[in-house]
Amino acid sequence: MSTTNRLLAPLRAHPVVTVVLMAMVGWAVWRYGFGTALMYERVGKTPAAGVKTLIVLHGHGAPGDDLVPLAKELSDDLGAAAYVIVGPESHGGGRSWIPDLTAPTKDAYLAEIEQHVAKTTRQIWEVVGRARKNGVACDDLVFVGFSLGGRFAIEAALRSPADCRPGAVVAFAPGGGQEIPLPASSSSAPPRVLVTMGFADDVVSPKAAMKWAEHLRAAGAEVQWLGVAGGHTITPDARKAALAFLRGDVVGTIEAEAN
């Protein structure tokens, strides 16, 4: 008996097990995005023409599925689809968007980190490409991120392909890489951006987040800044504001003081 036949023999002897295994593999491929560089979980409606689609990015060191509940809440309330993407790097038992790096000089560090940021944002856009193949219009794409994921939501939007201008960005307490400048917009900035920041946030820099908000506004985006009670987390008030923002409401202002 050939090696292949020996391997397949147990499956042929148990056809029910074979069907179950094949179904599990198919489910995993659908749910976790095998075939793209980054794994993801898809929740909410099926991506299609006319369906708002959220690209959700977790914070530094968080579990890959950390924001699945948020994605479900937003997609259910908005009648939207969502892709919750898992960061490519391992960090402290969780995942991150960039590796831990060291370099002999600041210039060397910035050059190396730029390579990783560019690579990761390209991989995020590979996942976005699946939504686009299903008919999702660029105007219906929304990047949503928390903390370092908020920074990468902004990065991904600014590094969009020339033929795809995302509709919006929601950045909850965006932070990480304050010394790393944001890129110039590759096509045009997303039309609408919401940045929320907890008044008691002692993890990320409100000044850096405000600087990024100003960068987006200078690139042509309508940026709303919203301070909320609480620390470095996505508070209920921030969630409510995000829902209202994504329905088209004005929930904050860029002129608000960063606390």
Side-chain angles (χ1 to χ4, degrees):
M1 182 183 293
S2 70
T3 301
T4 300
N5 286 335
R6 283 198 300 271
L7 292 173
L8 293 178
L11 296 180
R12 290 169 178 156
H14 301 283
V16 174
V17 173
T18 302
V19 171
V20 171
L21 287 174
M22 291 178 66
M24 290 175 65
V25 170
W27 173 84
V29 169
W30 167 83
R31 184 163 181 167
Y32 293 111
F34 298 160
T36 59
L38 301 182
M39 294 174 62
Y40 63 82
E41 181 169 349
R42 187 167 67 75
V43 300
K45 295 184 69 173
T46 300
V51 176
K52 190 179 296 294
T53 300
L54 314 178
I55 309 301
V56 183
L57 310 177
H58 61 76
H60 179 60
D65 61 353
D66 183 50
L67 295 187
V68 168
L70 172 69
K72 288 181 177 177
E73 177 184 335
L74 295 178
S75 58
D76 286 349
D77 285 351
L78 295 167
Y83 290 80
V84 185
I85 305 179
V86 179
E89 305 292 339
S90 177
H91 179 83
R95 308 300 300 177
S96 187
W97 302 100
I98 52 175
D100 296 323
L101 298 173
T102 58
T105 66
K106 181 178 179 180
D107 286 345
Y109 171 78
L110 291 176
E112 186 171 356
I113 199 69
E114 165 59 24
Q115 293 180 1
H116 286 281
V117 172
K119 177 181 177 182
T120 297
T121 52
R122 284 196 303 269
Q123 292 171 341
I124 290 170
W125 274 95
E126 287 180 8
V127 178
V128 177
R130 291 201 164 189
R132 295 182 69 191
K133 287 179 180 178
N134 284 340
V136 174
C138 293
D139 286 347
D140 285 326
L141 290 172
V142 180
F143 287 92
V144 179
F146 169 65
S147 194
L148 185 60
R151 164 69 188 243
F152 266 81
I154 296 170
E155 287 276 355
L158 288 174
R159 295 172 188 259
S160 63
D163 66 341
C164 189
R165 185 189 192 193
V169 170
V170 175
F172 297 107
Q178 288 89 332
E179 74 280 17
I180 304 167
L182 286 172
S185 177
S186 60
S187 52
S188 55
R192 304 178 72 239
V193 178
L194 172 65
V195 179
T196 74
M197 182 66 66
F199 294 129
D201 194 326
D202 59 358
V203 176
V204 304
S205 166
K207 290 183 178 179
M210 177 64 79
K211 183 178 179 181
W212 298 340
E214 293 286 0
H215 179 94
L216 287 161
R217 185 170 64 164
E222 172 203 289
V223 184
Q224 298 179 38
W225 176 279
L226 180 67
V228 295
H232 191 63
T233 186
I234 303 175
T235 67
D237 285 345
R239 290 173 184 242
K240 290 178 183 177
L243 281 169
F245 170 80
L246 292 175
R247 292 190 183 105
D249 295 344
V250 174
V251 297
T253 173
I254 190 62
E255 285 76 24
E257 289 288 334
N259 291 287

